[in-house]
């Protein structure tokens, strides 16, 4: 039940972005409000849990980089992209994040080598992405909006690599760390407000309601639910949520917004998810070792690695949209 609720909350983020934009809010306004409300929720939860924000300058410095690539840029990119691209397609583009994470890990030599399954998954996932873009087709999605959405997925991948090296497992409680990260993201995105022209008209009630839901539920509350899911049931449950996100986004786009269900996009989504699954494949010997060790022990000993699965979120909020 929790997996379904979490998938619905996260997968609906793309719907709320689209409704906010259609309601008269500019992409940057959506991003700032989303970060601010998400930060407010997490700060309240952290206070209730008696978790303190980081106090050392080094951590805050790393949080600036993490907030830029994990929140400010991708949140803004998704809002910009959805001005011209369907919300369902945005969800599918987001699903390519693990592929870019693998490619970046290989480039930086922080990931293990490519076996036949991972290589096949990478090729299959990129083929699915190409199928969705269909640059050879008149009705393809090779537009600036789609490329911006893809840039958001790449930004998440950069953030995952940076956070794994500089923030995760450094002694700060995840809830407080995520609250601090979204607080920094709010400040970063707010810097652009003086340079953003408004539409000249007040946003509609639907637009305001959508961005509030996006910030409170799609950005703040979902992190808390996801962290509880990982703590109680382990990363496999969180990975299941990640696979459901694009399915939810496509379904909601079609049912609520009347977005066309292109066969090419649906097939491309299936190919991308199959590719992601192959890149996260573990040999039977690894699975046997993981099953023989309790989950909490694996989390502290390093036997289990979340880098091998699609991540809806990392412990510090790479939030709302990422697998």
């Amino acid at each position: 039940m929790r997996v379904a609720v979490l998938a619905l909350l996260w997968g609906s983020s793309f719907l709320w972005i689209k409704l906010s934009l259609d309601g008269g809010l500019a992409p940057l306004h959506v991003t700032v409000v989303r970060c601010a409300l998400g930060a407010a929720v997490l700060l309240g939860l952290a206070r209730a849990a008696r978790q303190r924000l980081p106090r050392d300058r080094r951590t805050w410095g790393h949080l600036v980089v993490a907030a830029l690539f994990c929140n400010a840029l991708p949140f803004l990119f998704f809002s910009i992209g959805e001005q011209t691209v369907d919300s369902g397609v945005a969800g599918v583009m987001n699903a390519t994040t693990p592929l870019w994470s693998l490619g970046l890990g290989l480039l930086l030599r922080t990931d293990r080598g490519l076996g036949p399954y991972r290589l096949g998954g990478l090729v299959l996932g990129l083929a699915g992405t190409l199928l969705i873009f269909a640059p050879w087709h008149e009705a393809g999605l090779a537009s600036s909006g789609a490329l911006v959405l893809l840039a958001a997925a790449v930004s998440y991948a950069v953030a995952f690599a940076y956070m794994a090296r500089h923030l995760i497992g450094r002694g700060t409680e995840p809830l407080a760390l995520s609250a601090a990260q979204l607080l920094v993201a709010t400040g970063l995105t707010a810097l652009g407000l003086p340079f953003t022209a408004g539409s000249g008209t007040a946003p509609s009630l639907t637009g305001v309601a959508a961005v509030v839901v996006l910030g409170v539920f799609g950005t703040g509350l979902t992190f808390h639910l996801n962290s509880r899911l990982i703590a109680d049931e382990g990363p496999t449950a969180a990975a299941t949520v990640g696979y459901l996100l694009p399915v939810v986004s496509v379904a909601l786009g079609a049912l609520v917004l009347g977005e066309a269900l292109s066969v090419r996009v649906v097939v491309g989504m299936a190919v991308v998810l199959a590719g992601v699954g192959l890149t996260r494949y573990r040999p039977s010997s690894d699975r046997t070792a993981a099953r023989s060790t309790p989950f909490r022990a694996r989390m502290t000993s390093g036997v289990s690695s979340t880098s091998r699965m699609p991540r809806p979120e990392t412990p510090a909020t790479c939030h709302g949209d990422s697998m």
Side-chain angles (χ1 to χ4, degrees):
M1 182 64 180
R2 282 196 297 180
V3 169
V5 171
L6 198 51
L8 180 61
L9 287 174
W10 261 332
S12 66
S13 296
F14 306 98
L15 169 67
W16 303 124
I17 292 172
K18 177 68 79 172
L19 289 175
S20 299
L21 296 170
D22 291 346
L25 288 165
L28 184 61
H29 296 156
V30 174
T31 304
V32 174
V33 174
R34 177 183 187 179
C35 290
L37 291 176
V41 170
L42 291 179
L43 285 169
L45 291 172
R47 182 178 178 83
R50 297 184 178 181
Q51 294 185 14
R52 294 184 176 182
L53 297 181
R55 295 188 174 185
D56 60 295
R57 293 183 179 180
R58 179 182 293 272
T59 298
W60 282 101
H62 290 315
L63 281 171
V64 171
V65 180
L68 177 65
F69 287 101
C70 211
N71 304 110
L73 287 180
F75 286 6
L76 180 61
F77 287 166
F78 275 113
S79 294
I80 292 174
E82 285 197 48
Q83 288 182 304
T84 56
V85 178
D86 287 347
S87 64
V89 174
V92 176
M93 288 292 99
N94 174 77
T96 65
T97 297
L99 302 175
W100 308 118
S101 293
L102 173 58
L104 185 62
L106 294 171
L107 182 65
L108 298 178
R109 298 183 179 181
T110 58
D111 207 325
R112 56 194 175 94
L114 277 178
Y117 288 103
R118 302 186 90 202
L119 177 60
L122 185 59
V123 172
L124 193 62
L126 294 177
T129 304
L130 185 63
L131 179 61
I132 294 170
F133 272 83
W136 61 85
H137 198 284
E138 185 177 349
L141 295 174
S143 64
S144 59
L147 291 175
V148 169
L149 293 176
L150 206 58
V154 174
S155 183
Y156 278 135
V158 172
F160 287 154
Y162 186 87
M163 292 160 64
R165 176 172 294 187
H166 298 290
L167 284 172
I168 306 304
R170 301 290 178 173
T172 304
E173 293 289 344
L175 193 56
L177 194 65
S178 296
Q181 185 175 312
L182 274 178
L183 192 62
V184 173
T186 302
L188 290 175
T189 53
L191 292 175
L193 288 176
F195 309 99
T196 302
S199 62
T201 59
S204 68
L205 182 60
T206 299
V208 173
V211 77
V212 169
V213 173
L214 176 66
V216 173
F217 294 97
T219 306
L221 185 60
T222 49
F223 167 74
H224 179 62
L225 294 177
N226 183 65
S227 63
R228 294 307 312 159
L229 183 66
I230 293 176
D232 295 342
E233 301 184 28
T236 300
T240 302
V241 176
Y243 281 112
L244 292 174
L245 295 188
V247 178
V248 171
S249 69
V250 169
L252 288 177
L255 294 174
V256 179
L257 300 175
E259 295 175 353
L261 272 178
S262 165
V263 174
R264 188 188 72 255
V265 171
V266 172
V267 172
M269 176 181 67
V271 173
V272 166
L273 292 179
V276 169
L278 281 176
T279 64
R280 302 311 181 191
Y281 175 78
R282 289 189 297 170
S284 57
S285 58
D286 287 353
R287 292 198 300 270
T288 302
R291 283 195 298 267
S292 65
T293 308
F295 170 67
R296 292 185 184 276
R298 297 200 309 268
M299 291 299 288
T300 56
S301 67
V303 174
S304 175
S305 172
T306 55
S307 67
R308 295 183 183 180
M309 68 175 187
R311 289 181 282 189
E313 295 295 324
T314 58
T317 313
C318 235
H319 210 297
D321 314 314
S322 175
M323 291 181 74

